[in-house]
Amino acid sequence: MEQVVARDNMWAALKRVEENGGAAGIDGVQVTRLRDLLRERWPQVREELLQGTYRPQPVRRVEIPKPGGGTRLLGIPTVLDRLIQQALLQVLTPIFDPTFSGASYGFRPGKRAHDAVRRARQYVEAGYDWVVDLDIEKFFDRVNHDILMSRVARKVTDKRVLKLIRRYLQAGVMLNGVAVRTEEGTPQGGPLSPLLANILLDDLDKELEKRGHKFVRYADDCNIYVRSQRAGERVMESIRNFLQERLKLKVNEHKSAVDRPWKLKYLGFSMYKNQGKVLVRLAPQTIERVKNKIREFTSRSKPVSMEERIKRINAYMGGWMGYFALAETPSVFESIEGWMRRRLRMCLWKQWKRVRTRYRELRALGLPEEVVHHFANARKGLMSGCPMGR
């Protein structure tokens, strides 16, 4: 605990929390006010942490829609608790991370989702072209606290730290003004949750390694690569039993499957074969998701200026392209770009309601007069063949 509250560690944690930003917790304190809060309360909080008496506040429960339907529950800690969790994370990561499996990629220093996808492709190229796609049912909501804490205690002996982590797990959520205690699960939203998930699921990794399996895991999303459907079904059955008996976790039967990699998605990607090569592509669900987001930005029922629409699209697509640039499907990206431009042209055309406005704006683009006349009087609006889209 002395390492956790050390000045250098707390400064690093403060900078990280401020960089990450995020919403306020149940106390309404924003990240921008964290330093003022620390000036008032840090000496007392530091002493409580060292004495082992500090008690976290409940998290604020937020529901966000999941891409495949349904909602995901997020627990937003107060900014003070986010700071303390970040400080804990910085001390615990060097203790646990070096012993994690090389096949674990989620929320680890120096590892990315792209690394997991590339490793998966290597397995498929090597002939392991059947996938056991494991989906753990409501993983973050159903983590057994006793089992998790026993794994943490393997390497952490400071009882103050162990007590503090358990208190974070059991801090509860604020529902309709009432604090409800949590007996299982680790709330998504706090800096410490991803590390705790990796600590628990390291047991799964070690079991898969002991059995000699080829696999990749990103948080609770695990794919195991085998040579045949029959082998995959055997692995699915045995791992289902392992998770249930050893970790008290349940496989989501509706979202788990044994199938070919080109029929499944992993971290937003899928695979396909082209002239004997295994290539990475965008999963169909990913394409539909980005189109839905663009539809939201280009909704003609929203009174938003064209400049603001383009600004929002650029901000979103910049991050999206940065992640999905791994896909080896240039024609798909070109198709999405063309479709997005057509959506923007439709927004622009709606703004040019009057024929006189259309003439003026199209002439300003330097188009030939016959082209201007044709499109300004078009009954069906701005067609995809209009030179504006070029």
Side-chain angles (χ1 to χ4, degrees):
M1 186 61 78
E2 281 74 14
Q3 294 177 43
V4 172
V5 302
R7 182 178 178 84
D8 289 348
N9 188 55
M10 292 306 304
W11 268 113
L14 176 61
K15 291 178 181 177
R16 188 60 182 267
V17 170
E18 288 178 334
E19 288 171 1
N20 290 340
I26 62 169
D27 59 0
V29 178
Q30 300 288 341
V31 174
T32 52
R33 289 185 51 208
L34 179 55
R35 294 196 180 213
D36 293 335
L37 179 68
L38 291 175
R39 291 187 188 99
E40 298 173 9
R41 294 192 53 197
W42 178 243
Q44 177 189 346
V45 171
R46 181 179 184 276
E47 186 60 27
E48 289 176 0
L49 289 168
L50 290 171
Q51 294 297 323
T53 59
Y54 178 80
R55 291 191 174 275
Q57 291 186 269
V59 298
R60 182 164 68 87
R61 174 62 55 83
V62 176
E63 293 186 6
I64 61 172
K66 296 173 70 172
T71 59
R72 176 178 287 113
L73 299 178
L74 289 185
I76 302 178
T78 64
V79 291
L80 177 59
D81 283 322
R82 291 213 290 273
L83 175 71
I84 296 170
Q85 285 195 36
Q86 180 63 37
L88 275 168
L89 177 69
Q90 291 167 183
V91 171
L92 295 177
T93 296
I95 296 172
F96 286 95
D97 193 80
T99 63
F100 286 157
S101 167
S104 169
Y105 293 91
F107 308 103
R108 296 186 60 193
K111 289 181 176 287
R112 310 171 59 207
H114 285 186
D115 300 326
V117 175
R118 290 190 184 99
R119 174 70 73 87
R121 179 173 61 180
Q122 290 173 2
Y123 290 147
V124 176
E125 288 174 334
Y128 296 86
D129 53 4
W130 281 89
V131 186
V132 181
D133 184 13
L134 280 175
D135 184 281
I136 301 175
E137 189 171 289
K138 297 183 178 179
F139 170 75
F140 284 94
D141 298 331
R142 294 186 175 173
V143 167
N144 182 288
H145 291 173
D146 291 335
I147 294 175
L148 172 58
M149 290 308 303
S150 71
R151 272 54 176 176
V152 176
R154 289 171 179 173
K155 295 183 180 178
V156 176
T157 56
D158 191 326
K159 292 184 179 179
R160 296 167 299 179
V161 173
L162 295 173
K163 188 184 297 184
L164 179 60
I165 294 173
R166 186 177 279 274
R167 282 176 176 167
Y168 272 119
L169 293 172
Q170 297 178 338
V173 296
M174 188 66 75
L175 296 174
N176 300 320
V178 178
V180 179
R181 183 182 173 89
T182 44
E183 299 297 340
E184 62 179 8
T186 170
Q188 296 184 72
L192 199 55
S193 292
L195 177 64
L196 296 178
N198 278 333
I199 290 173
L200 182 65
L201 290 175
D202 188 55
D203 274 23
L204 171 62
D205 297 342
K206 295 298 192 290
E207 180 68 18
L208 292 173
E209 288 178 342
K210 185 173 72 174
R211 299 184 186 188
H213 288 310
K214 314 292 184 185
F215 71 99
V216 290
R217 183 177 65 78
Y218 194 96
D220 59 331
D221 198 346
C222 183
N223 276 5
I224 307 166
Y225 295 84
V226 296
R227 292 188 181 275
S228 69
Q229 182 178 7
R230 187 175 178 182
E233 290 169 351
R234 286 199 305 268
V235 170
M236 175 70 84
E237 180 64 24
S238 62
I239 295 303
R240 179 191 292 115
N241 294 335
F242 173 83
L243 288 171
Q244 177 67 43
E245 294 170 9
R246 183 77 66 87
L247 301 179
K248 306 303 179 187
L249 295 172
K250 185 179 179 182
V251 170
N252 187 326
E253 302 296 343
H254 297 292
K255 294 184 178 180
S256 300
V258 177
D259 213 330
R260 295 288 197 176
W262 26 91
K263 293 184 179 180
L264 299 170
K265 73 177 179 72
Y266 188 63
L267 303 178
F269 297 94
S270 185
M271 298 183 201
Y272 70 107
K273 281 188 174 182
N274 185 16
Q275 298 180 349
K277 292 184 178 180
V278 177
L279 302 175
V280 175
R281 66 178 177 181
L282 298 177
Q285 300 93 321
T286 298
I287 297 173
E288 186 58 31
R289 197 178 308 158
V290 71
K291 283 191 170 185
N292 286 338
K293 197 67 179 179
I294 294 170
R295 286 188 186 100
E296 179 184 323
F297 291 137
T298 57
S299 171
R300 285 167 287 173
S301 63
K302 294 182 179 179
V304 180
S305 69
M306 183 59 64
E307 291 75 14
E308 182 62 24
R309 290 183 195 274
I310 292 174
K311 180 181 177 182
R312 293 178 184 179
I313 288 174
N314 285 342
Y316 175 77
M317 292 302 294
W320 189 88
M321 283 298 300
Y323 180 78
F324 287 107
L326 181 66
E328 300 158 297
T329 50
S331 62
V332 175
F333 290 117
E334 291 170 5
S335 174
I336 293 172
E337 182 186 14
W339 181 82
M340 179 171 59
R341 288 179 179 275
R342 289 194 294 275
R343 295 282 305 182
L344 286 170
R345 287 200 298 271
M346 288 189 293
C347 293
L348 202 56
W349 198 247
K350 186 176 181 182
Q351 293 179 11
W352 301 348
K353 293 181 179 179
R354 301 175 61 184
V355 173
R356 183 182 301 176
T357 303
R358 297 174 185 173
Y359 269 101
R360 185 183 69 244
E361 297 293 347
L362 291 171
R363 281 168 178 159
L365 293 171
L367 301 178
E369 189 62 25
E370 63 272 17
V371 175
V372 171
H373 180 75
H374 172 74
F375 284 104
N377 291 281
R379 288 187 178 183
K380 294 184 179 179
L382 196 57
M383 303 298 187
S384 59
C386 176
M388 282 179 59
R390 294 177 184 170

